[in-house]
Amino acid sequence: MRSKQKINQKQSTEVSYIKDDEACHKVSKANRRTFLKGLGLGVGAISAGVCLPSRAELIGYSGESGGFTNNRDFNFNATGSDYQDGYQEAYEPAKTCNAAVIDTRLFSSSNTSSGMHERNNLAIKRLTCAGFNVQNPEILNRKYYRFGGSDQERTNDFQYIANGHVEAPKLLLGVRGGYGAMRILDKVSWAKLGSVLKERGTIVGGFSDVTAIQCALLAKGGMGSANLPMAYSEFGKYKPDPISCAGFVKAVTDKNLLISTYRSNKTSYKLPTILSKRPSQRISGTIWGGNLSVLSALAGSSYMPNPRGGIVFIEEVGEQPYRLERMLYDLHLAGVFKNQQAIVFGAMARSGSDGYDPSYDVAAVIKELHKVTGLPIYSGVAFGHVSKKQSFPMGCDCTIVPNSSGFDLRFANYPTIDAGLIYEPALSA
């Protein structure tokens, strides 16, 4: 929900919000000094005239009790059950903050972050200071078994937008990966959601298990997304990676994003950056894909995209070479690669070595894939379960152009945010 009211040191304002499907109007009054103190920022940290009401709402400020409480099941100051003690003490906020005017919602489709109060708090602080008006931070405290809420709650993160219960945000950002998105794929109206999000120009961001959400949205809703660092996973870190944060901002603001890759190391140092019979060719198509384990699980389902002439992106973490090959064969035997023009590999992190033959490694697996598919393979894109991520849009136009020692990925026709609305240093503060 947008707020156009302004807060200064002596001015208070009313905030309202809608929680779940109840029309709840919660009124709170926040003194600017008290508010900034509760947020962990000095009074001079945010210039007078910035829009702050949504911040008071999202951190649970209660005028009735005269302080910050857990009135929306979100505790900014809880520490007891978090194993990362000292997060708040070590946090040094940015000296200035942008007005939080970018409508932002979180979705928690996979693992829970409940109990990780320090990381959750820092993620919200950083995103808010950077200019993102996070409208539903309470979902960070949800838990059902290992998941970030019950299947219905996690479905509602998307279905409420599709049905108009809440307005489509400009940024719809995943909380974290893990497992769980598969359980809700058949519960979301993807075509309707895609239509609403396209009309708004929403950026849907995440990776890892969020691949299932991204694929369903593209396959059934015709809607692209973006490979982005996530709220808990990156912005809640003790020290977020500045390069990943810069890559996040560039991917959501640059209308003509270009990513250059000169080495294959992120995939395997034993591979050439381009494995092709025609290494100098340019290839254009829709880029899609994501985490290999999730793609393999979707093979044969209606949630697997199949853009003709597409470019498949693949990343993975913690899988031995034979498991990687088995999942790649899943895709090959299911015909996933038949209509595609190329395969692009990101980070194949912590793959280990084969116990029978150490020479059977990631490079050997990818060379086998090239042999059986006949497709050109491009390796080394710095995205996946690694630091120094280079974020990029998905489900959009992409052109692969060889460069002096590798290749460029040039992206086009995807939604962006005005760069002036984002204060990048706050994300890695």
Side-chain angles (χ1 to χ4, degrees):
M1 180 172 294
R2 303 176 188 176
S3 174
K4 296 182 179 179
Q5 296 167 301
K6 296 181 179 180
I7 287 184
N8 57 34
Q9 184 171 346
K10 295 183 179 180
Q11 182 182 17
S12 62
T13 188
E14 294 184 348
V15 297
S16 63
Y17 62 89
I18 297 176
K19 182 179 180 181
D20 297 332
D21 55 355
E22 300 175 337
C24 304
H25 294 284
K26 188 93 175 177
V27 178
S28 300
K29 294 190 175 182
N31 174 273
R32 183 171 183 267
R33 181 180 295 275
T34 306
F35 168 74
L36 292 175
K37 182 179 179 181
L39 187 60
L41 301 171
V43 174
I46 303 177
S47 61
V50 301
C51 300
L52 294 176
S54 58
R55 302 188 189 187
E57 172 191 343
L58 63 86
I59 63 174
Y61 182 88
S62 172
E64 296 176 0
S65 63
F68 294 87
T69 66
N70 198 14
N71 63 4
R72 292 190 69 193
D73 300 322
F74 187 79
N75 189 345
F76 228 107
N77 299 308
T79 57
S81 60
D82 196 336
Y83 67 82
Q84 284 108 349
D85 291 335
Y87 258 53
Q88 296 289 338
E89 289 77 2
Y91 172 61
E92 297 182 5
K95 294 182 179 180
T96 60
C97 289
N98 268 21
V101 297
I102 303 169
D103 292 340
T104 303
R105 293 188 70 83
L106 304 177
F107 64 90
S108 188
S109 57
S110 307
N111 282 11
T112 183
S113 63
S114 175
M116 308 299 289
H117 300 296
E118 302 284 10
R119 287 189 67 154
N120 290 339
N121 295 346
L122 287 181
I124 297 300
K125 284 183 177 181
R126 287 173 174 138
L127 286 166
T128 304
C129 187
F132 297 93
N133 177 11
V134 183
Q135 299 167 345
N136 61 334
E138 67 277 2
I139 76 168
L140 294 169
N141 281 344
R142 294 186 325 210
K143 182 180 180 182
Y144 176 76
Y145 292 125
R146 61 172 289 146
F147 309 114
S150 68
D151 290 357
Q152 188 61 58
E153 287 175 318
R154 292 181 298 122
T155 297
N156 287 344
D157 290 347
F158 304 101
Q159 200 62 28
Y160 279 2
I161 298 172
N163 292 338
H165 285 289
V166 296
E167 292 184 11
K170 185 59 184 175
L171 176 65
L172 183 59
L173 183 65
V175 172
R176 65 180 301 184
Y179 167 70
M182 299 286 286
R183 291 170 60 122
I184 66 171
L185 293 187
D186 62 348
K187 299 174 176 62
V188 177
S189 302
W190 296 108
K192 192 173 182 180
L193 178 64
S195 176
V196 171
L197 295 180
K198 279 189 284 187
E199 183 178 356
R200 175 67 172 90
T202 299
I203 299 170
V204 181
F207 73 107
S208 190
D209 193 54
V210 173
T211 294
I213 302 298
Q214 295 169 309
C215 284
L217 195 55
L218 181 60
K220 291 184 172 289
M223 173 72 186
S225 57
N227 277 337
L228 299 177
M230 293 181 281
Y232 170 94
S233 306
E234 185 65 50
F235 304 123
K237 283 181 178 178
Y238 183 78
K239 288 289 185 181
D241 174 44
I243 293 178
S244 294
C245 293
F248 169 90
V249 173
K250 189 168 181 61
V252 300
T253 60
D254 191 339
K255 294 181 182 295
N256 298 290
L257 182 67
L258 182 149
I259 292 178
S260 297
T261 298
Y262 298 103
R263 295 184 298 275
S264 64
N265 293 15
K266 292 292 183 182
T267 305
S268 170
Y269 70 92
K270 295 183 180 180
L271 287 170
T273 52
I274 302 175
L275 193 59
S276 173
K277 295 178 182 179
R278 299 170 55 201
S280 62
Q281 70 176 326
R282 294 168 61 114
I283 297 175
S284 296
T286 299
I287 189 165
W288 66 281
N291 179 261
L292 178 58
S293 295
V294 178
L295 293 174
S296 173
L298 291 176
S301 77
S302 61
Y303 302 101
M304 173 67 84
N306 189 24
R308 184 170 294 278
I311 298 168
V312 187
F313 171 78
I314 294 173
E315 62 86 15
E316 189 51 272
V317 60
E319 297 288 356
Q320 294 183 42
Y322 79 91
R323 294 186 178 183
L324 295 173
E325 182 169 285
R326 181 165 58 196
M327 290 185 285
L328 289 168
Y329 260 100
D330 283 344
L331 300 180
H332 170 59
L333 296 174
V336 171
F337 297 125
K338 284 184 178 179
N339 292 325
Q340 306 306 302
Q341 293 191 80
I343 302 171
V344 176
F345 278 94
M348 305 299 282
R350 302 194 295 277
S351 62
S353 60
D354 187 76
Y356 289 93
D357 186 344
S359 66
Y360 177 65
D361 55 13
V362 171
V365 168
I366 291 177
K367 288 176 182 178
E368 174 69 11
L369 180 66
H370 175 59
K371 176 182 175 182
V372 299
T373 64
L375 293 176
I377 293 179
Y378 301 81
S379 298
V381 174
F383 191 88
H385 293 75
V386 291
S387 60
K388 300 177 174 58
K389 296 179 182 65
Q390 292 182 304
S391 300
F392 56 89
M394 298 277 279
C396 67
D397 298 335
C398 178
T399 300
I400 304 174
V401 182
N403 59 34
S404 59
S405 59
F407 58 94
D408 298 334
L409 298 179
R410 300 178 181 178
F411 302 88
N413 301 319
Y414 51 91
T416 57
I417 298 170
D418 181 353
L421 300 178
I422 303 175
Y423 183 57
E424 181 188 310
L427 293 173
S428 58

